Amino acid sequence: MQRILNFCLVPNHKGETIGKMVESCLLNWGMDNIFTLTVDNASSNDGAIRYLKKETMHWRDTILGHEFMHVRCCAHILNLVVKEALKDVHDSIVKIRNAVRYVRSSPARSQSFKACVEKLKIEHKGLVCLDVETRWNSKYKMLEVAEKFEKAFGRLEVDPNYVSYFDKSKNIGPPMKEDWDIARVFVKFLKLFYTVTLRFSCSVYVTSNAFFHELMALVDRLNTLMRSSDAYLSCMAIKMKKKLDKYWENDANLNFVLFAAVVLDPRFKMGYVGFCFDEVYGEYKGRLMRDGVKETLYSLYAHYESMCFGVYSSSQNSDELIVDDVEDNIVLSFQQKYSRHRKGI
């Protein structure tokens, strides 16, 4: 659950400055331990994490030398992934944006559009909205709403002002049926990311053990779309997958403690995580990922055992305690759970 503890003014965006401010806040609150810090993927935050790792290494409850401190925000990663794919906007999307811009450019044009909606008896509350270039989710909302008014935009074509507006925009005419068809495919595609981003961003319940299912289903969907016969969709999916791999297949950027949270969820455990890895990444990469999760669990178990009992057991002893518990599900149940999460995305 989310709790806001403090707001403070940061003089600049340098990594060391941000790190010092976080350190100061923690000391003022009397907190002398940090397990993880979740930040977005700005380079300044990498610098802040490096500073905090160095300066707080001696704190009393430091866990495994701050190995797992840096957690990259899943929602921000998705934002970067979608932005990468939207750098080259399809002409059909440009046409629809121009149509929406025309309607929203003056009260008279907006009223004329409303009249078309009423004549066609289109049942939809609200009107079209224009996207913001720096926010991909606004593009999704623009297209989602606009395609519901396709017939109303078609009726506007009898208005000479509407047609002349497009004539001035350099060989990009008003959207035609094929443009709306492309927009519907585009909306369906972006809805995957929009829905997952909303689930990642929830603050009224714990998400650390829930992100994995959304991520695996999303990667699986991208793998399918990469083989699509639609060249535009396939190209977008390839760009997104390449960007996503930068964070989720790069050991330098991965924090395996996130996967450990799924293993500790009694509904899923290690068998489910391993099954998903194999399904999405293939047997070789899946085995490497699974080994990384197990190593993380063993390290954490040994660390807390040493804190509680004053002894640091070997990983072999930890293996026996953990593996008996995490390998006890049936493969069929993993397949059923995985299938259910894929359908629910």
Side-chain angles (χ1 to χ4, degrees):
M1 185 171 289
Q2 178 175 281
R3 289 289 183 269
I4 297 174
L5 299 178
N6 189 30
F7 285 102
C8 57
L9 182 64
V10 181
N12 57 63
H13 293 135
K14 294 180 180 179
E16 185 172 330
T17 303
I18 297 172
K20 286 180 178 178
M21 293 300 296
V22 174
E23 179 188 23
S24 175
C25 288
L26 292 172
L27 291 173
N28 288 338
W29 298 332
M31 297 176 67
D32 58 359
N33 60 341
I34 310 173
F35 184 34
T36 64
L37 283 177
T38 302
V39 294
D40 65 24
N41 295 281
S43 58
S44 58
N45 285 330
D46 293 341
I49 294 292
R50 285 194 297 271
Y51 173 85
L52 287 167
K53 280 185 175 182
K54 180 181 68 174
E55 296 299 322
T56 65
M57 187 68 71
H58 63 282
W59 286 13
R60 180 173 59 87
D61 292 325
T62 295
I63 298 172
L64 296 174
H66 289 321
E67 180 182 349
F68 304 109
M69 178 188 283
H70 193 178
V71 176
R72 299 176 184 275
C73 176
C74 297
H76 188 246
I77 288 174
L78 283 189
N79 185 52
L80 296 175
V81 167
V82 179
K83 279 186 174 181
E84 180 68 23
L86 296 182
K87 284 181 178 179
D88 300 318
V89 181
H90 197 284
D91 285 347
S92 296
I93 309 304
V94 175
K95 291 180 182 180
I96 293 172
R97 182 193 293 129
N98 286 342
V100 172
R101 184 182 288 116
Y102 171 84
V103 170
R104 294 185 60 87
S105 61
S106 74
R109 290 173 176 177
S110 180
Q111 193 59 42
S112 176
F113 184 73
K114 287 180 181 179
C116 293
V117 172
E118 291 172 1
K119 287 178 182 178
L120 292 168
K121 297 182 179 179
I122 298 174
E123 295 182 3
H124 185 75
K125 294 182 180 179
L127 277 180
V128 292
C129 54
L130 195 60
D131 66 331
V132 179
E133 287 295 328
T134 56
R135 297 178 60 192
W136 72 264
N137 56 324
S138 68
K139 190 184 303 295
Y140 162 73
K141 295 301 293 183
M142 177 190 73
L143 294 173
E144 183 196 35
V145 174
E147 63 100 4
K148 294 178 173 61
F149 294 101
E150 176 185 351
K151 293 181 179 179
F153 280 110
R155 195 177 185 92
L156 268 182
E157 292 181 22
V158 301
D159 184 343
N161 293 326
Y162 180 66
V163 177
S164 63
Y165 177 83
F166 282 94
D167 289 340
K168 296 175 184 177
S169 61
K170 297 181 181 179
N171 70 30
I172 297 182
M176 308 300 289
K177 184 182 183 304
E178 54 269 24
D179 298 315
W180 292 108
D181 290 341
I182 289 173
R184 271 184 280 275
V185 174
F186 199 78
V187 166
K188 188 177 180 180
F189 184 74
L190 286 183
K191 186 177 182 180
L192 295 172
F193 293 88
Y194 184 77
T195 302
V196 172
T197 299
L198 289 180
R199 291 173 181 169
F200 280 176
S201 305
C202 290
S203 59
V204 294
Y205 59 84
V206 176
T207 58
S208 58
N209 64 326
F211 89 98
F212 179 77
H213 321 298
E214 311 297 339
L215 175 66
M216 291 295 103
L218 190 59
V219 171
D220 182 70
R221 181 63 176 152
L222 284 177
N223 287 338
T224 301
L225 288 170
M226 286 167 61
R227 301 186 295 271
S228 172
S229 57
D230 187 313
Y232 182 62
L233 270 182
S234 176
C235 183
M236 281 185 57
I238 290 171
K239 288 181 180 179
M240 288 181 167
K241 184 64 166 55
K242 183 177 180 181
K243 190 73 171 180
L244 192 63
D245 288 348
K246 176 182 176 181
Y247 297 100
W248 293 111
E249 286 198 23
N250 185 338
D251 291 343
N253 292 328
L254 267 178
N255 190 330
F256 280 97
V257 78
L258 290 172
F259 303 122
V262 187
V263 175
L264 294 175
D265 187 329
R267 297 171 298 173
F268 302 105
K269 301 188 179 180
M270 190 67 212
Y272 173 75
V273 173
F275 171 79
C276 290
F277 282 154
D278 289 344
E279 284 290 302
V280 172
Y281 296 109
E283 185 177 347
Y284 176 73
K285 180 65 177 179
R287 185 174 69 253
L288 294 179
M289 298 281 281
R290 187 163 55 249
D291 290 345
V293 177
K294 286 184 178 180
E295 185 177 339
T296 298
L297 285 166
Y298 302 153
S299 298
L300 288 171
Y301 181 89
H303 173 81
Y304 283 107
E305 185 182 38
S306 68
M307 288 178 61
C308 295
F309 304 108
V311 295
Y312 193 92
S313 69
S314 68
S315 60
Q316 180 63 38
N317 293 334
S318 301
D319 287 2
E320 294 173 359
L321 290 171
I322 295 175
V323 172
D324 288 344
D325 183 50
V326 300
E327 299 289 355
D328 62 354
N329 282 348
I330 302 173
V331 171
L332 178 60
S333 69
F334 303 152
Q335 295 172 331
Q336 291 171 341
K337 293 172 185 175
Y338 179 73
S339 177
R340 185 166 64 249
H341 283 289
R342 284 182 60 187
K343 292 177 181 177
I345 188 169

